[in-house]
Each structure stands twice: as C-alpha cells, then as structure tokens.
Amino acid sequence: MHAPAPRPHPSRGTILLLGSLTAFGALTIDLYLPALPSIAREFGVGAAASQQTLVAFFVGMSLGQLVYGPISDRIGRRPPLLFGIALYIVASLACAFAPTIGALVAGRFVQALGCCAGMVVARSVVRDRFDHQDSARIFSLLTLVLGVAPMIAPTVGGWLVTVTTWRWLFGILATAGAAVGFAVVFNLDESRSAETAAKARAETPLSAYLALLKKRRLIGYLLASALGGATLFSYIASAPDLIIAIWGFSPRAFGLIFAVIAIGVIGSSQVNRWLLNTYSADHILGIAVLFAVGFGVALLAATLVHADKWIVLALMFATLSMNGLCGANALAGALSVDPLRSGSTSGMFGASSFAFGAGAAALAGAFHDGTERPMAAVMATSLVLAAVALYGLALPRRGEAELP
C-alpha cells in the first residue's frame, strides 16, 4: 500500500480554513490572557488559581488530540472535526457563564477537548494531500494564518477587558467557533484515503500508537518539536505577570509585544518557505535548531547578569522566532514517517507538544521568583534537549542510511 499521491496546491480559501482550524488553540489561549488578573479579582483568588484555567486548557489539548487522531484515520476527517467544533461552542458558552473559578477551569478543559479536533484534522488533511517537502511548505504557509491570533488576540482581549468584562471574550470565541464550523460544513471535503481507512480498521488505536512509538525517527521529530515549542508555552504562561506586573507595561502594550513576537514567528516561517526551494526540510531544521539553542543560551545568560529588559526582550524575540523555522519542518518530518497513520501521528504530535508545553509552563511557574530567569532557564534547557533529540534520533548521521 502507498500513501496518496500529492495533489495540486490548495486554494487560498482552503489555506485560510486550515489555518483557522490550526489557529483555534492559539486564539483561545491568547485572547483571554490579558483578562487573567480580572478573573482572579472577580472570583477572589490569587494569580496561581487563575492560571489553572490555562493549565487545564493545555491538559485538555494534549489528551484530546490522542483521541481524535486515530478516530480521524478510522472514520474520516470531517465527523470528528464537526463534533469537536460543536463541543467547543458549548464549552465556550459555559465558560462565559461560569459561576466559580472551578467551573471556569472545568469549562476550559472541555473547551480544549473541542478545540483540538481542528488542529489534529488540519495537520492530517495536509499530509493526506502532500509529500514531506510540500507539507513543510504548506505548514509554513498556514503559519501566516496561525500568526494572526497572537498578533491581534491579546490586543483585542486587552482592549475588551477595559470596556467590558472577561465573560464577553468567551462569547466571542463561541461565535468564532460557529463561523468556522459553518465554513467546514460547506468547504472542506473529506481527504482520508481508502488505504488509511483500511489500515486504521485493521488495528486498534492503542496498537497504532505502539507501532508509531517504535519508529525512532518519528520520536526524534516529536521530541524536537515538543521541546522547541515548549519555549512558546513557558513564555505564554509567564508573560502576563512578567510584562505587566513586573516590568510595568500596560495590558495594551502587552498585546503589542505579543504581536511583535508573532511577527517574528511569521517572518521566519516565510523565510522557511523560501529556503525550501533550495534545501531539504531536514537540512533547514537541523541548522535552525542550533541557532535556537544559541539564542536560548544567550537569553539565559542575559537574565543571569541582570541585563536591561529591552535586551531580554530582543533575545526572547530571536529565540521564539526560531519556531517559525523549526515547527513546520519538524511536523512535516513526523508526518512523513508513516503517512498511512497520519491521523494518529498528528494526534501524537499535538499531544506531545501540549504535554511538554504544560510541563514547561508549570516549571516556569513553580520556580517563579519575580524575575525572567525561571522562564529563560526553561527555554534554554528545552532547546538543548530538542537539539539532542533531533540529532540523536531523527536526522541520519553522516554516512548512515535513514533511520526507521
């Protein structure tokens, strides 16, 4: 059996829709970040309690993707996607009317379970239609849409919490979910192949995951991406307190800083598209990871010597921007290892990303000391481990055949 033959490049409408599905998670996280202090005040809890709404979301995103992946291989891409969107809308409305912080945490968990369906299916659809190199190009292109969320969501969220309550943010998310669901119904065709369906029906989800866990290259790509992406999660979890409470920026300025960093990620992802015309995705990934390590170590060093906040911000920008060069290529590499299990691979990829991201965010929070040092330490350590995983497992050594 063979993977489906690559098809022509998708239309702009398809790219916009797939990008919107991919951006669901980022939008749902970033829009309400400026509201965390308001949520804590309304429920009379500390910052740590309000941040549990973020942790619950990360956990839900990680667990949910493990479920949607094999299901989308077995029954198709559209049914689990539409179910997830419906669940997301209901959970968003529940969050809007949450009477207690505990109810909000629970609502965020369920909201994540619905949200992650779009991310799993969008990745799988790309792999259904494109090979390794072209998938990397498409994932870089999707970053254009994905990057809009962190560019505008915190700014919009910061403005909204100054003119209304945080509850309206979840109403906006429910409306966005309904709009994307409408677009999926009428504009996203089924892409799963008959070969993928036959493979999925011949094995259980557990056996599919066990088979994937035995693939050394796949694990290398997953770890490299998850550990590299953990830098974004540690930043997202630490940024509201660091930038607003410690450095003294306003919520609107916080949104602007978020937007500038998003521009860095978007810009590097488009540089990646250009580089893919000349170099392989693996070659670009290998070099980009080394640059990321260098920037991450420099960031940690700057925090240890108490460098000015603008120097720290510049190094944060450089470190986080490398995700645009690493993420798409690592994802394309992971999905290329076993194309007939692309849904399960997508689920594993997303679950590992959010699991490691939640761990990184928790570590940065646990060692919080009123400075940027814990965040920088988590980011630098994650990037070093990402490089070790990539070069030790995924990329073939000189003179060595590709690993299974």
Side-chain angles (χ1 to χ4, degrees):
M1 288 187 292
H2 301 283
R7 300 197 330 195
H9 285 281
S11 67
R12 291 180 181 177
T14 300
I15 288 292
L16 179 61
L17 179 53
L18 292 175
S20 298
L21 291 171
T22 305
F24 246 112
L27 175 66
T28 309
I29 293 169
D30 297 338
L31 184 68
Y32 97 121
L33 283 180
L36 283 175
S38 299
I39 292 171
R41 285 195 300 270
E42 177 169 331
F43 289 124
V45 298
S50 67
Q51 288 175 357
Q52 288 303 308
T53 62
L54 186 60
V55 174
F57 189 85
F58 287 163
V59 173
M61 290 289 284
S62 181
L63 295 178
Q65 293 186 73
L66 289 174
V67 176
Y68 288 116
I71 288 177
S72 72
D73 281 342
R74 182 178 291 262
I75 69 173
R77 311 305 185 197
R78 282 170 56 89
L81 175 57
L82 292 172
F83 170 82
I85 291 173
L87 183 63
Y88 177 86
I89 294 170
V90 172
S92 296
L93 293 175
C95 289
F97 295 99
T100 65
I101 188 67
L104 182 58
V105 169
R108 288 287 286 175
F109 177 78
V110 178
Q111 188 185 40
L113 292 180
C115 175
C116 63
M119 303 175 72
V120 171
V121 170
R123 291 189 295 259
S124 300
V125 168
V126 173
R127 179 59 248 194
D128 289 341
R129 299 177 176 179
F130 299 96
D131 63 15
H132 184 170
Q133 193 78 356
D134 282 338
S135 291
R137 291 191 182 94
I138 299 302
F139 288 131
S140 293
L141 192 56
L142 291 181
T143 304
L144 280 173
V145 182
L146 175 62
V148 171
M151 282 180 63
I152 67 172
T155 303
V156 173
W159 176 77
L160 285 173
V161 296
T162 64
V163 299
T164 185
T165 71
W166 58 267
R167 297 180 184 274
W168 280 95
L169 302 181
F170 291 101
I172 292 172
L173 291 174
T175 303
V180 172
F182 182 84
V184 167
V185 169
F186 293 101
N187 296 289
L188 189 65
D189 297 331
E190 182 59 58
S191 64
R192 182 207 55 176
S193 68
E195 292 88 349
T196 295
K199 185 82 170 179
R201 289 169 185 152
E203 61 186 6
T204 66
L206 178 59
S207 62
Y209 281 128
L210 290 176
L212 291 173
L213 287 171
K214 295 176 183 178
K215 297 183 181 294
R216 182 177 172 183
R217 287 184 58 233
L218 173 60
I219 299 305
Y221 285 124
L222 290 182
L223 288 176
S225 177
L227 287 163
T231 59
L232 281 170
F233 284 87
S234 58
Y235 165 71
I236 288 170
S238 305
D241 182 66
L242 175 65
I243 295 174
I244 297 175
I246 297 174
W247 285 346
F249 288 96
S250 69
R252 291 185 181 181
F254 167 77
L256 179 61
I257 291 170
F258 240 71
V260 170
I261 289 178
I263 290 172
V265 176
I266 292 172
S268 63
S269 71
Q270 301 319 295
V271 170
N272 185 56
R273 287 181 61 209
W274 175 72
L275 290 173
L276 285 165
N277 292 324
T278 306
Y279 303 101
S280 72
D282 279 351
H283 181 75
I284 299 169
L285 175 60
I287 294 175
V289 164
L290 296 180
F291 271 96
V293 170
F295 288 132
V297 171
L299 171 62
L300 177 58
T303 65
L304 293 176
V305 299
H306 308 287
D308 184 80
K309 63 185 177 184
W310 292 107
I311 295 176
V312 174
L313 274 172
L315 289 170
M316 283 169 54
F317 173 87
T319 303
L320 295 170
S321 292
M322 297 311 296
N323 277 279
L325 284 165
C326 298
N329 295 321
L331 175 54
L335 289 169
S336 74
V337 174
D338 191 345
L340 294 183
R341 293 190 179 102
S342 61
S344 296
T345 300
S346 178
M348 278 183 60
F349 190 94
S352 62
S353 295
F354 276 89
F356 277 84
L363 279 175
F367 291 99
H368 177 68
D369 62 358
T371 72
E372 61 272 24
R373 286 192 296 270
M375 179 194 69
V378 170
M379 291 169 69
T381 302
S382 297
L383 289 169
V384 170
L385 293 175
V388 171
L390 181 67
Y391 279 93
L393 297 174
L395 301 184
R397 302 170 184 86
R398 182 174 297 178
E400 180 181 62
E402 250 192 14
L403 298 168

PDB file of all heavy atoms in Angstrom, residues 26-27 30-31 143-157 252 254-267:
ATOM      1  N   ALA A  26      -4.374  28.733  19.569  1.00  0.00           N
ATOM      2  CA  ALA A  26      -3.687  29.981  19.884  1.00  0.00           C
ATOM      3  C   ALA A  26      -4.678  31.097  20.196  1.00  0.00           C
ATOM      4  O   ALA A  26      -4.492  31.875  21.139  1.00  0.00           O
ATOM      5  CB  ALA A  26      -2.786  30.378  18.716  1.00  0.00           C
ATOM      6  N   LEU A  27      -5.742  31.192  19.401  1.00  0.00           N
ATOM      7  CA  LEU A  27      -6.756  32.216  19.638  1.00  0.00           C
ATOM      8  C   LEU A  27      -7.402  32.042  21.004  1.00  0.00           C
ATOM      9  O   LEU A  27      -7.594  33.013  21.752  1.00  0.00           O
ATOM     10  CB  LEU A  27      -7.820  32.156  18.539  1.00  0.00           C
ATOM     11  CG  LEU A  27      -9.022  33.093  18.711  1.00  0.00           C
ATOM     12  CD1 LEU A  27      -8.580  34.540  18.608  1.00  0.00           C
ATOM     13  CD2 LEU A  27     -10.109  32.778  17.677  1.00  0.00           C
ATOM     14  N   ASP A  30      -4.701  33.053  23.664  1.00  0.00           N
ATOM     15  CA  ASP A  30      -4.174  34.414  23.679  1.00  0.00           C
ATOM     16  C   ASP A  30      -5.230  35.486  23.934  1.00  0.00           C
ATOM     17  O   ASP A  30      -4.916  36.531  24.507  1.00  0.00           O
ATOM     18  CB  ASP A  30      -3.471  34.712  22.348  1.00  0.00           C
ATOM     19  CG  ASP A  30      -2.260  33.815  22.128  1.00  0.00           C
ATOM     20  OD1 ASP A  30      -1.738  33.291  23.121  1.00  0.00           O
ATOM     21  OD2 ASP A  30      -1.857  33.640  20.969  1.00  0.00           O
ATOM     22  N   LEU A  31      -6.476  35.255  23.489  1.00  0.00           N
ATOM     23  CA  LEU A  31      -7.491  36.285  23.633  1.00  0.00           C
ATOM     24  C   LEU A  31      -7.749  36.626  25.090  1.00  0.00           C
ATOM     25  O   LEU A  31      -7.990  37.790  25.436  1.00  0.00           O
ATOM     26  CB  LEU A  31      -8.798  35.846  22.962  1.00  0.00           C
ATOM     27  CG  LEU A  31      -9.928  36.881  22.944  1.00  0.00           C
ATOM     28  CD1 LEU A  31      -9.551  38.050  22.033  1.00  0.00           C
ATOM     29  CD2 LEU A  31     -11.245  36.259  22.503  1.00  0.00           C
ATOM     30  N   THR A 143       1.187  29.101   8.838  1.00  0.00           N
ATOM     31  CA  THR A 143       1.649  29.957   9.920  1.00  0.00           C
ATOM     32  C   THR A 143       1.250  31.405   9.697  1.00  0.00           C
ATOM     33  O   THR A 143       1.100  32.185  10.645  1.00  0.00           O
ATOM     34  CB  THR A 143       3.182  29.853  10.077  1.00  0.00           C
ATOM     35  OG1 THR A 143       3.529  28.477  10.272  1.00  0.00           O
ATOM     36  CG2 THR A 143       3.690  30.650  11.258  1.00  0.00           C
ATOM     37  N   LEU A 144       1.075  31.799   8.429  1.00  0.00           N
ATOM     38  CA  LEU A 144       0.588  33.148   8.147  1.00  0.00           C
ATOM     39  C   LEU A 144      -0.765  33.383   8.808  1.00  0.00           C
ATOM     40  O   LEU A 144      -1.023  34.448   9.384  1.00  0.00           O
ATOM     41  CB  LEU A 144       0.462  33.357   6.634  1.00  0.00           C
ATOM     42  CG  LEU A 144       1.732  33.682   5.862  1.00  0.00           C
ATOM     43  CD1 LEU A 144       1.448  33.672   4.373  1.00  0.00           C
ATOM     44  CD2 LEU A 144       2.274  35.040   6.291  1.00  0.00           C
ATOM     45  N   VAL A 145      -1.641  32.383   8.702  1.00  0.00           N
ATOM     46  CA  VAL A 145      -2.958  32.492   9.331  1.00  0.00           C
ATOM     47  C   VAL A 145      -2.841  32.289  10.835  1.00  0.00           C
ATOM     48  O   VAL A 145      -3.415  33.043  11.636  1.00  0.00           O
ATOM     49  CB  VAL A 145      -3.934  31.468   8.722  1.00  0.00           C
ATOM     50  CG1 VAL A 145      -5.315  31.614   9.355  1.00  0.00           C
ATOM     51  CG2 VAL A 145      -4.010  31.637   7.206  1.00  0.00           C
ATOM     52  N   LEU A 146      -2.070  31.266  11.221  1.00  0.00           N
ATOM     53  CA  LEU A 146      -1.886  30.968  12.643  1.00  0.00           C
ATOM     54  C   LEU A 146      -1.311  32.164  13.389  1.00  0.00           C
ATOM     55  O   LEU A 146      -1.678  32.448  14.530  1.00  0.00           O
ATOM     56  CB  LEU A 146      -0.957  29.755  12.789  1.00  0.00           C
ATOM     57  CG  LEU A 146      -0.548  29.342  14.199  1.00  0.00           C
ATOM     58  CD1 LEU A 146      -1.772  28.952  15.005  1.00  0.00           C
ATOM     59  CD2 LEU A 146       0.451  28.200  14.154  1.00  0.00           C
ATOM     60  N   GLY A 147      -0.407  32.894  12.729  1.00  0.00           N
ATOM     61  CA  GLY A 147       0.253  34.009  13.397  1.00  0.00           C
ATOM     62  C   GLY A 147      -0.644  35.194  13.665  1.00  0.00           C
ATOM     63  O   GLY A 147      -0.316  36.051  14.484  1.00  0.00           O
ATOM     64  N   VAL A 148      -1.785  35.265  12.984  1.00  0.00           N
ATOM     65  CA  VAL A 148      -2.698  36.384  13.208  1.00  0.00           C
ATOM     66  C   VAL A 148      -3.242  36.359  14.631  1.00  0.00           C
ATOM     67  O   VAL A 148      -3.434  37.407  15.259  1.00  0.00           O
ATOM     68  CB  VAL A 148      -3.850  36.355  12.183  1.00  0.00           C
ATOM     69  CG1 VAL A 148      -4.922  37.383  12.548  1.00  0.00           C
ATOM     70  CG2 VAL A 148      -3.311  36.618  10.784  1.00  0.00           C
ATOM     71  N   ALA A 149      -3.481  35.151  15.166  1.00  0.00           N
ATOM     72  CA  ALA A 149      -4.073  35.039  16.505  1.00  0.00           C
ATOM     73  C   ALA A 149      -3.216  35.714  17.573  1.00  0.00           C
ATOM     74  O   ALA A 149      -3.711  36.595  18.300  1.00  0.00           O
ATOM     75  CB  ALA A 149      -4.324  33.572  16.845  1.00  0.00           C
ATOM     76  N   PRO A 150      -1.919  35.342  17.729  1.00  0.00           N
ATOM     77  CA  PRO A 150      -1.126  36.029  18.752  1.00  0.00           C
ATOM     78  C   PRO A 150      -0.832  37.484  18.429  1.00  0.00           C
ATOM     79  O   PRO A 150      -0.450  38.245  19.308  1.00  0.00           O
ATOM     80  CB  PRO A 150       0.173  35.207  18.803  1.00  0.00           C
ATOM     81  CG  PRO A 150       0.235  34.480  17.522  1.00  0.00           C
ATOM     82  CD  PRO A 150      -1.187  34.220  17.130  1.00  0.00           C
ATOM     83  N   MET A 151      -1.004  37.882  17.149  1.00  0.00           N
ATOM     84  CA  MET A 151      -0.789  39.281  16.804  1.00  0.00           C
ATOM     85  C   MET A 151      -1.930  40.159  17.289  1.00  0.00           C
ATOM     86  O   MET A 151      -1.709  41.249  17.827  1.00  0.00           O
ATOM     87  CB  MET A 151      -0.635  39.435  15.282  1.00  0.00           C
ATOM     88  CG  MET A 151       0.713  39.042  14.738  1.00  0.00           C
ATOM     89  SD  MET A 151       0.791  39.256  12.946  1.00  0.00           S
ATOM     90  CE  MET A 151       0.550  41.028  12.792  1.00  0.00           C
ATOM     91  N   ILE A 152      -3.172  39.691  17.094  1.00  0.00           N
ATOM     92  CA  ILE A 152      -4.307  40.567  17.397  1.00  0.00           C
ATOM     93  C   ILE A 152      -5.089  40.159  18.639  1.00  0.00           C
ATOM     94  O   ILE A 152      -5.717  41.004  19.274  1.00  0.00           O
ATOM     95  CB  ILE A 152      -5.268  40.648  16.199  1.00  0.00           C
ATOM     96  CG1 ILE A 152      -5.946  39.302  15.951  1.00  0.00           C
ATOM     97  CG2 ILE A 152      -4.545  41.124  14.959  1.00  0.00           C
ATOM     98  CD1 ILE A 152      -7.054  39.359  14.906  1.00  0.00           C
ATOM     99  N   ALA A 153      -5.044  38.849  18.992  1.00  0.00           N
ATOM    100  CA  ALA A 153      -5.894  38.389  20.088  1.00  0.00           C
ATOM    101  C   ALA A 153      -5.578  39.063  21.424  1.00  0.00           C
ATOM    102  O   ALA A 153      -6.497  39.557  22.100  1.00  0.00           O
ATOM    103  CB  ALA A 153      -5.810  36.865  20.216  1.00  0.00           C
ATOM    104  N   PRO A 154      -4.300  39.121  21.869  1.00  0.00           N
ATOM    105  CA  PRO A 154      -4.050  39.797  23.150  1.00  0.00           C
ATOM    106  C   PRO A 154      -4.399  41.278  23.109  1.00  0.00           C
ATOM    107  O   PRO A 154      -4.860  41.843  24.106  1.00  0.00           O
ATOM    108  CB  PRO A 154      -2.539  39.579  23.366  1.00  0.00           C
ATOM    109  CG  PRO A 154      -2.190  38.413  22.517  1.00  0.00           C
ATOM    110  CD  PRO A 154      -3.072  38.524  21.320  1.00  0.00           C
ATOM    111  N   THR A 155      -4.180  41.919  21.945  1.00  0.00           N
ATOM    112  CA  THR A 155      -4.520  43.334  21.831  1.00  0.00           C
ATOM    113  C   THR A 155      -6.026  43.537  21.956  1.00  0.00           C
ATOM    114  O   THR A 155      -6.496  44.415  22.696  1.00  0.00           O
ATOM    115  CB  THR A 155      -4.030  43.888  20.480  1.00  0.00           C
ATOM    116  OG1 THR A 155      -2.619  43.672  20.370  1.00  0.00           O
ATOM    117  CG2 THR A 155      -4.324  45.367  20.370  1.00  0.00           C
ATOM    118  N   VAL A 156      -6.784  42.707  21.228  1.00  0.00           N
ATOM    119  CA  VAL A 156      -8.243  42.787  21.309  1.00  0.00           C
ATOM    120  C   VAL A 156      -8.716  42.442  22.713  1.00  0.00           C
ATOM    121  O   VAL A 156      -9.582  43.115  23.287  1.00  0.00           O
ATOM    122  CB  VAL A 156      -8.893  41.855  20.271  1.00  0.00           C
ATOM    123  CG1 VAL A 156     -10.412  41.807  20.476  1.00  0.00           C
ATOM    124  CG2 VAL A 156      -8.573  42.326  18.860  1.00  0.00           C
ATOM    125  N   GLY A 157      -8.131  41.373  23.285  1.00  0.00           N
ATOM    126  CA  GLY A 157      -8.513  40.984  24.640  1.00  0.00           C
ATOM    127  C   GLY A 157      -8.203  42.067  25.648  1.00  0.00           C
ATOM    128  O   GLY A 157      -9.010  42.354  26.553  1.00  0.00           O
ATOM    129  N   ARG A 252      -2.398  46.944  27.087  1.00  0.00           N
ATOM    130  CA  ARG A 252      -2.336  47.208  25.648  1.00  0.00           C
ATOM    131  C   ARG A 252      -0.913  47.040  25.124  1.00  0.00           C
ATOM    132  O   ARG A 252      -0.693  46.512  24.027  1.00  0.00           O
ATOM    133  CB  ARG A 252      -2.862  48.604  25.347  1.00  0.00           C
ATOM    134  CG  ARG A 252      -4.362  48.740  25.586  1.00  0.00           C
ATOM    135  CD  ARG A 252      -4.875  50.108  25.153  1.00  0.00           C
ATOM    136  NE  ARG A 252      -6.312  50.231  25.406  1.00  0.00           N
ATOM    137  CZ  ARG A 252      -7.019  51.299  25.107  1.00  0.00           C
ATOM    138  NH1 ARG A 252      -6.444  52.352  24.543  1.00  0.00           N
ATOM    139  NH2 ARG A 252      -8.321  51.333  25.367  1.00  0.00           N
ATOM    140  N   PHE A 254       1.265  45.110  26.431  1.00  0.00           N
ATOM    141  CA  PHE A 254       1.466  43.659  26.455  1.00  0.00           C
ATOM    142  C   PHE A 254       0.986  43.031  25.148  1.00  0.00           C
ATOM    143  O   PHE A 254       1.662  42.186  24.554  1.00  0.00           O
ATOM    144  CB  PHE A 254       0.696  43.068  27.636  1.00  0.00           C
ATOM    145  CG  PHE A 254       0.557  41.570  27.617  1.00  0.00           C
ATOM    146  CD1 PHE A 254       1.618  40.758  27.964  1.00  0.00           C
ATOM    147  CD2 PHE A 254      -0.654  40.967  27.263  1.00  0.00           C
ATOM    148  CE1 PHE A 254       1.485  39.372  27.955  1.00  0.00           C
ATOM    149  CE2 PHE A 254      -0.794  39.597  27.244  1.00  0.00           C
ATOM    150  CZ  PHE A 254       0.291  38.800  27.602  1.00  0.00           C
ATOM    151  N   GLY A 255      -0.182  43.458  24.682  1.00  0.00           N
ATOM    152  CA  GLY A 255      -0.690  42.952  23.413  1.00  0.00           C
ATOM    153  C   GLY A 255       0.220  43.304  22.258  1.00  0.00           C
ATOM    154  O   GLY A 255       0.426  42.500  21.339  1.00  0.00           O
ATOM    155  N   LEU A 256       0.808  44.494  22.287  1.00  0.00           N
ATOM    156  CA  LEU A 256       1.717  44.908  21.219  1.00  0.00           C
ATOM    157  C   LEU A 256       2.985  44.067  21.225  1.00  0.00           C
ATOM    158  O   LEU A 256       3.476  43.660  20.158  1.00  0.00           O
ATOM    159  CB  LEU A 256       2.060  46.389  21.394  1.00  0.00           C
ATOM    160  CG  LEU A 256       3.025  46.982  20.358  1.00  0.00           C
ATOM    161  CD1 LEU A 256       2.432  46.877  18.958  1.00  0.00           C
ATOM    162  CD2 LEU A 256       3.347  48.435  20.698  1.00  0.00           C
ATOM    163  N   ILE A 257       3.519  43.788  22.400  1.00  0.00           N
ATOM    164  CA  ILE A 257       4.715  42.941  22.494  1.00  0.00           C
ATOM    165  C   ILE A 257       4.419  41.550  21.952  1.00  0.00           C
ATOM    166  O   ILE A 257       5.221  40.956  21.215  1.00  0.00           O
ATOM    167  CB  ILE A 257       5.197  42.878  23.958  1.00  0.00           C
ATOM    168  CG1 ILE A 257       5.756  44.237  24.381  1.00  0.00           C
ATOM    169  CG2 ILE A 257       6.258  41.788  24.137  1.00  0.00           C
ATOM    170  CD1 ILE A 257       6.048  44.358  25.856  1.00  0.00           C
ATOM    171  N   PHE A 258       3.256  41.027  22.301  1.00  0.00           N
ATOM    172  CA  PHE A 258       2.845  39.722  21.781  1.00  0.00           C
ATOM    173  C   PHE A 258       2.797  39.750  20.254  1.00  0.00           C
ATOM    174  O   PHE A 258       3.226  38.804  19.585  1.00  0.00           O
ATOM    175  CB  PHE A 258       1.462  39.358  22.339  1.00  0.00           C
ATOM    176  CG  PHE A 258       1.453  38.089  23.139  1.00  0.00           C
ATOM    177  CD1 PHE A 258       2.046  38.043  24.380  1.00  0.00           C
ATOM    178  CD2 PHE A 258       0.856  36.938  22.647  1.00  0.00           C
ATOM    179  CE1 PHE A 258       2.045  36.886  25.131  1.00  0.00           C
ATOM    180  CE2 PHE A 258       0.849  35.767  23.384  1.00  0.00           C
ATOM    181  CZ  PHE A 258       1.441  35.743  24.631  1.00  0.00           C
ATOM    182  N   ALA A 259       2.282  40.845  19.711  1.00  0.00           N
ATOM    183  CA  ALA A 259       2.154  40.957  18.260  1.00  0.00           C
ATOM    184  C   ALA A 259       3.522  41.002  17.583  1.00  0.00           C
ATOM    185  O   ALA A 259       3.730  40.383  16.533  1.00  0.00           O
ATOM    186  CB  ALA A 259       1.354  42.209  17.903  1.00  0.00           C
ATOM    187  N   VAL A 260       4.462  41.712  18.177  1.00  0.00           N
ATOM    188  CA  VAL A 260       5.805  41.809  17.593  1.00  0.00           C
ATOM    189  C   VAL A 260       6.475  40.438  17.560  1.00  0.00           C
ATOM    190  O   VAL A 260       7.102  40.055  16.557  1.00  0.00           O
ATOM    191  CB  VAL A 260       6.659  42.823  18.375  1.00  0.00           C
ATOM    192  CG1 VAL A 260       8.121  42.752  17.940  1.00  0.00           C
ATOM    193  CG2 VAL A 260       6.121  44.231  18.175  1.00  0.00           C
ATOM    194  N   ILE A 261       6.340  39.688  18.635  1.00  0.00           N
ATOM    195  CA  ILE A 261       6.937  38.343  18.660  1.00  0.00           C
ATOM    196  C   ILE A 261       6.250  37.444  17.644  1.00  0.00           C
ATOM    197  O   ILE A 261       6.891  36.632  16.967  1.00  0.00           O
ATOM    198  CB  ILE A 261       6.858  37.769  20.085  1.00  0.00           C
ATOM    199  CG1 ILE A 261       7.848  38.518  20.984  1.00  0.00           C
ATOM    200  CG2 ILE A 261       7.156  36.269  20.091  1.00  0.00           C
ATOM    201  CD1 ILE A 261       7.842  38.099  22.427  1.00  0.00           C
ATOM    202  N   ALA A 262       4.935  37.594  17.497  1.00  0.00           N
ATOM    203  CA  ALA A 262       4.222  36.814  16.483  1.00  0.00           C
ATOM    204  C   ALA A 262       4.723  37.145  15.086  1.00  0.00           C
ATOM    205  O   ALA A 262       4.850  36.260  14.227  1.00  0.00           O
ATOM    206  CB  ALA A 262       2.724  37.071  16.581  1.00  0.00           C
ATOM    207  N   ILE A 263       5.032  38.422  14.839  1.00  0.00           N
ATOM    208  CA  ILE A 263       5.579  38.812  13.545  1.00  0.00           C
ATOM    209  C   ILE A 263       6.914  38.110  13.300  1.00  0.00           C
ATOM    210  O   ILE A 263       7.225  37.696  12.172  1.00  0.00           O
ATOM    211  CB  ILE A 263       5.744  40.345  13.475  1.00  0.00           C
ATOM    212  CG1 ILE A 263       4.365  41.013  13.414  1.00  0.00           C
ATOM    213  CG2 ILE A 263       6.589  40.762  12.277  1.00  0.00           C
ATOM    214  CD1 ILE A 263       4.408  42.514  13.537  1.00  0.00           C
ATOM    215  N   GLY A 264       7.706  37.948  14.348  1.00  0.00           N
ATOM    216  CA  GLY A 264       8.972  37.231  14.214  1.00  0.00           C
ATOM    217  C   GLY A 264       8.769  35.791  13.800  1.00  0.00           C
ATOM    218  O   GLY A 264       9.479  35.269  12.933  1.00  0.00           O
ATOM    219  N   VAL A 265       7.783  35.128  14.423  1.00  0.00           N
ATOM    220  CA  VAL A 265       7.494  33.729  14.074  1.00  0.00           C
ATOM    221  C   VAL A 265       6.975  33.637  12.643  1.00  0.00           C
ATOM    222  O   VAL A 265       7.393  32.764  11.864  1.00  0.00           O
ATOM    223  CB  VAL A 265       6.479  33.125  15.065  1.00  0.00           C
ATOM    224  CG1 VAL A 265       6.108  31.703  14.654  1.00  0.00           C
ATOM    225  CG2 VAL A 265       7.057  33.128  16.484  1.00  0.00           C
ATOM    226  N   ILE A 266       6.070  34.540  12.284  1.00  0.00           N
ATOM    227  CA  ILE A 266       5.519  34.536  10.927  1.00  0.00           C
ATOM    228  C   ILE A 266       6.616  34.801   9.899  1.00  0.00           C
ATOM    229  O   ILE A 266       6.712  34.128   8.870  1.00  0.00           O
ATOM    230  CB  ILE A 266       4.413  35.602  10.790  1.00  0.00           C
ATOM    231  CG1 ILE A 266       3.199  35.222  11.631  1.00  0.00           C
ATOM    232  CG2 ILE A 266       3.996  35.762   9.334  1.00  0.00           C
ATOM    233  CD1 ILE A 266       2.150  36.307  11.705  1.00  0.00           C
ATOM    234  N   GLY A 267       7.454  35.792  10.184  1.00  0.00           N
ATOM    235  CA  GLY A 267       8.522  36.135   9.248  1.00  0.00           C
ATOM    236  C   GLY A 267       9.476  34.984   9.018  1.00  0.00           C
ATOM    237  O   GLY A 267       9.843  34.677   7.869  1.00  0.00           O
TER     238      GLY A 267
END
